[in-house]
């Protein structure tokens, strides 16, 4: 499961952390226009970072008690006059109320921290709109991806990145300097045209998780419906037995491992498809189809959802004996045994099956836990590439194999029992084996020396049908050049 590292700068943009041109700024005076939650949190963080803070408010007497005593709360015009860097912590619709301050704001650096309520709600970004209202000012977009809670609790409890953009390089450096002193990592996102992208970031709800979540929900609904038909509908129709009480726990618990098992196999299936593509075309430089490329990029999320379903399955399984229906069934079994005068109902095969089934399941869950933990950026950063690859690739494949053994032990010989085919539908676990067994079989084939060596050569740059130049001595002793195919 490959994963991104949000502790690192965003791809394609430059981190300004450690830039020698950024000098300490503690002690300078910073202005804040606004008295809302974000403005108060910002003022608290600035004061704790050693800045002098002047807050501009339309009602300074009423708002003064909300801010730290070290911050000066005064009228907006007075606050603007005392500093050259001003955080505009007001909503877009209230920008026009600052137009009366246009003269005193001239030449100042305005830091726009606002966000919209919807993605691309306006044609232009809030920062660009603010710049159009105050052309004599330098506008910098920043701090909008940082929450008020993060400002109060410190950068250690949230994402340390502060995305900054502006058309003025010096203004960006000034704001980056302030962010760095506050304990954040400034990231240069370029010119003001990037402001719209920055403002959309806080509004996106788990953008990298949508496809994996829908995939997990789709698998859950399919397996849940299948199990519902087999475990509840079939006995109700054929035997007139009411077993709808199984839906909240037992049917769900039968569905969760199916989803977890198939999702785990889907983590490694795209790698198999990618290898097949490279072997077929004989090159690593041919682009994968978009669907496969997207699939490869979502393997981390798919793997974490697999672990989530497996963990829920473990919790549900532990709770099975706590159900009242289970107690009734135990009492009923004991009464039947007493009536039939059976002194021993021990079945050696079933005992061994359950012991192996539970043991292998615990091992599989432990390996999945290890995979999930190493997907965290803080853990992944402490591993070198070989360690990370060994855990995610080798141990991940071992987890898939052990999960397969767990599933096979659960099924045992029931796949050959005709009573298990209710409505002529095979047991659920037999369906879940299709994709994982395909992946395992493909991995075994790829491990054969002849195929493994060819795949390794391709991934090192070898291409089928590529012509390379060579030099041969002629009969006169001179050297002549020629061409030949690299796959000869």
């Amino acid at each position: 499961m490959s994963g991104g590292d949000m502790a690192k700068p965003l791809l394609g943009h430059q981190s300004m952390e450690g830039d020698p041109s950024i000098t300490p700024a503690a002690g300078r005076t910073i202005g804040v226009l606004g008295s809302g939650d974000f403005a108060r949190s910002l003022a608290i963080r600035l004061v704790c970072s050693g800045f002098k803070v002047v807050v501009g408010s339309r009602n300074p007497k009423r708002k003064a008690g909300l801010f730290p005593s070290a911050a000066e709360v005064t009228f907006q015009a007075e606050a603007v006059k005392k500093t050259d860097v001003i955080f505009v912590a007001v909503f877009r619709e209230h920008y026009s109320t600052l137009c009366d301050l246009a003269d005193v704001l001239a030449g100042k650096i305005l830091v726009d921290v606002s966000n919209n309520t919807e993605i691309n709600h306006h044609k232009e970004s809030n920062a660009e709109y603010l710049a159009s209202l105050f052309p004599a000012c330098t506008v910098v977009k920043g701090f909008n991806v940082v929450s008020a809670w993060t400002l109060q609790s410190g950068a250690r409890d949230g994402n340390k990145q502060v995305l900054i953009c502006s058309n003025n390089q010096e203004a960006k450096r000034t704001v980056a300097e302030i962010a760095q002193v506050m304990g954040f990592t400034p990231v240069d996102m370029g010119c003001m045209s990037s402001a719209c992208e920055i403002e959309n970031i806080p509004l996106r709800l788990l953008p990298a998780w949508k496809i994996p979540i829908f995939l997990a929900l789709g698998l859950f609904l399919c397996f849940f419906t299948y199990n519902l038909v087999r475990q509840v509908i079939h006995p109700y129709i054929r035997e007139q037995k009411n077993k709808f009480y199984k839906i909240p726990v037992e049917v769900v618990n039968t569905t969760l491992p199916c989803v977890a098992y198939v999702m785990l196999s889907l983590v490694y299936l795209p790698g198999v498809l990618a290898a097949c593509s490279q072997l077929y075309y004989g090159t690593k430089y041919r682009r994968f189809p978009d669907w496969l490329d997207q699939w490869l990029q979502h393997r981390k999320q798919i793997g974490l959802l697999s672990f989530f379903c497996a963990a829920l399955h473990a919790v549900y399984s532990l709770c099975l004996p706590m159900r009242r229906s289970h107690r009734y069934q135990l009492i009923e079994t004991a009464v039947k045994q007493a009536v039939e005068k059976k002194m021993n109902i021990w079945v050696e095969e079933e005992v061994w099956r359950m012991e192996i089934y539970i043991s292998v399941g615990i091992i599989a869950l432990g390996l999945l836990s290890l995979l999930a933990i190493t997907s965290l950026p803080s853990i992944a950063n402490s591993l070198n590439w070989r360690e990370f690859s060994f855990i995610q690739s080798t141990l991940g494949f071992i987890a898939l194999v052990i999960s397969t053994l767990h599933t096979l032990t659960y099924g045992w010989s029931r796949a050959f029992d005709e009573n298990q085919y209710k409505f002529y539908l095979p047991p659920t676990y037999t369906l879940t084996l299709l994709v994982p067994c395909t992946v395992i079989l493909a991995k075994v084939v790829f491990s054969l020396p002849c195929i493994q060596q060819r795949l390794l050569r391709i991934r090192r740059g070898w291409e089928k049908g590529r012509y390379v130049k060579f030099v041969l001595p002629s009969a006169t002793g001179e050297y002549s050049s020629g061409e030949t195919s690299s796959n000869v």
Side-chain angles (χ1 to χ4, degrees), residues 101-307:
L101 305 174
D103 293 336
V104 290
L105 284 173
K108 310 283 186 178
I109 297 176
L110 302 182
V111 184
D112 177 49
V113 300
S114 65
N115 283 312
N116 293 312
T117 55
E118 299 177 8
I119 295 178
N120 297 326
H121 186 61
H122 302 283
K123 293 182 179 180
E124 59 182 353
S125 65
N126 294 350
E128 291 172 321
Y129 175 61
L130 182 64
S132 67
L133 293 178
F134 302 97
C137 300
T138 301
V139 177
V140 178
K141 185 69 186 185
F143 284 87
N144 67 301
V145 298
V146 181
S147 66
W149 168 257
T150 300
L151 286 171
Q152 287 193 28
S153 58
R156 63 184 182 277
D157 290 332
N159 190 351
K160 294 181 63 176
Q161 289 185 341
V162 172
L163 310 184
I164 299 172
C165 73
S166 176
N167 292 332
N168 188 293
Q169 191 67 23
E170 291 302 320
K172 279 196 294 187
R173 292 187 182 279
T174 301
V175 177
E177 174 186 332
I178 296 171
Q180 196 166 328
V181 174
M182 293 170 67
F184 294 98
T185 302
V187 179
D188 189 349
M189 297 288 287
C191 59
M192 187 59 72
S193 59
S194 301
C196 186
E197 176 189 353
I198 297 176
E199 291 175 3
N200 286 336
I201 290 176
L203 302 177
R204 295 192 178 103
L205 180 61
L206 302 174
W209 287 83
K210 288 183 179 179
I211 295 178
I213 288 176
F214 281 122
L215 175 62
L217 289 176
L219 288 173
F220 183 87
L221 289 176
C222 291
F223 282 116
F224 182 85
T225 303
Y226 193 86
N227 291 324
L228 180 67
V229 171
R230 283 177 45 82
Q231 297 178 235
V232 178
I233 305 300
H234 179 270
Y236 183 78
I237 294 177
R238 291 295 177 85
E239 304 172 13
Q240 285 74 48
K241 292 183 178 179
N242 186 352
K243 295 189 176 183
F244 286 91
Y245 66 88
K246 292 185 175 183
I247 294 177
V249 177
E250 194 167 334
V251 176
V252 172
N253 189 45
T254 308
T255 302
L256 286 172
C258 299
V259 178
Y261 186 37
V262 174
M263 291 284 284
L264 180 62
S265 65
L266 293 179
V267 174
Y268 298 96
L269 180 59
V272 171
L273 298 178
C276 291
S277 175
Q278 291 175 342
L279 288 171
Y280 179 78
Y281 292 106
T283 178
K284 71 172 184 178
Y285 299 107
R286 182 184 177 91
R287 285 186 57 85
F288 297 131
D290 290 339
W291 60 269
L292 181 56
D293 190 55
Q294 290 291 323
W295 193 351
L296 289 167
Q297 294 179 26
H298 287 94
R299 287 181 295 175
K300 174 183 176 180
Q301 290 78 14
I302 295 174
L304 289 175
L305 288 174
S306 172
F307 168 70

